Amino acid sequence: MLRGKARRDRGAAYAAGADGTGGDPLDAAQERRVRAVLALGGVPQSDLPDGVQQVRLRLLERAASGREAPRDVSAWAAVVASNLAMDWHRAKRRQERLGERLAALRAPAHASGEETSLLSLAVARGLDELPAAQRQVVVLRFFADLPVRAIAEELGIPEGTVKSRLHTAVRALRDRLHEDEVA
């Protein structure tokens, strides 16, 4: 019983924030990282605040249930944000192919000749075309800057699987950029 109570107390402490005053469970750096993972995962700017709140809610629910704090809250939050981005994509596909419509609307804007815009759009399209599992490891590795070992631990898959997915995804993105003659 004492062990369970100690766990609940520790959970309440991490849910209450670092200062114990009931503050935000995510610090500013963690929130920026969550926003970046969501944005790079294809979630629109208008939905980013809701995504950040979902990560906070899941952290608070974890604490309220008495589970221990994640070893690395920042990495845990990035993985949760990545999963939220995948969920957002699944919902988007059920409703419509918004990506195709946006690409059609942006076609005239490419005449401006901004190479950075072209590259960004090509990378975004390439990410959208990747299978969800590959897109997830690319975003976690290159945009959330998590090491392979942390990605494997957080996703519950072997490091070799993470490396394989990264290799396949990077090759597909490189091929896509060459097809579009961007790189």
Side-chain angles (χ1 to χ4, degrees):
M1 177 158 175
L2 190 59
R3 183 175 175 192
K5 182 181 183 323
R7 263 179 117 175
R8 280 192 303 277
D9 292 343
R10 187 172 45 229
Y14 87 85
D19 58 4
T21 61
D24 194 342
L26 294 176
D27 65 28
Q30 292 165 338
E31 181 176 337
R32 283 191 303 273
R33 188 176 203 184
V34 166
R35 282 181 175 276
V37 169
L38 290 169
L40 292 166
V43 176
Q45 284 291 119
S46 60
D47 291 342
L48 292 182
D50 290 338
V52 172
Q53 291 296 27
Q54 282 292 322
V55 172
R56 280 190 180 102
L57 177 62
R58 291 186 185 180
L59 185 59
L60 291 169
E61 286 173 339
R62 181 182 175 106
S65 70
R67 290 185 285 177
E68 290 185 40
R71 283 182 292 189
D72 182 352
V73 173
S74 186
W76 180 89
V79 170
V80 170
S82 176
N83 289 337
L84 286 172
M86 286 178 49
D87 292 345
W88 184 87
H89 279 286
R90 286 184 194 113
K92 180 183 84 166
R93 284 190 188 109
R94 280 190 296 261
Q95 294 177 6
E96 59 189 313
R97 292 294 302 167
L98 182 60
E100 292 173 4
R101 288 181 23 203
L102 286 175
L105 292 174
R106 290 187 179 181
H110 292 190
S112 68
E114 294 184 21
E115 292 180 25
T116 305
S117 296
L118 286 173
L119 182 59
S120 296
L121 186 58
V123 169
R125 285 181 181 165
L127 282 172
D128 282 343
E129 292 174 0
L130 290 176
Q134 289 178 4
R135 182 175 50 249
Q136 184 178 35
V137 295
V138 166
V139 168
L140 290 173
R141 177 66 187 107
F142 297 111
F143 297 106
D145 201 28
L146 291 179
V148 170
R149 175 174 283 157
I151 295 169
E153 287 175 6
E154 293 297 329
L155 296 179
I157 59 177
E159 286 184 46
T161 301
V162 173
K163 291 176 184 179
S164 173
R165 288 179 185 173
L166 280 171
H167 176 77
T168 304
V170 168
R171 187 177 63 226
L173 285 172
R174 186 178 298 126
D175 291 346
R176 170 63 191 234
L177 293 176
H178 287 296
E179 282 176 19
D180 291 348
E181 298 180 359
V182 177

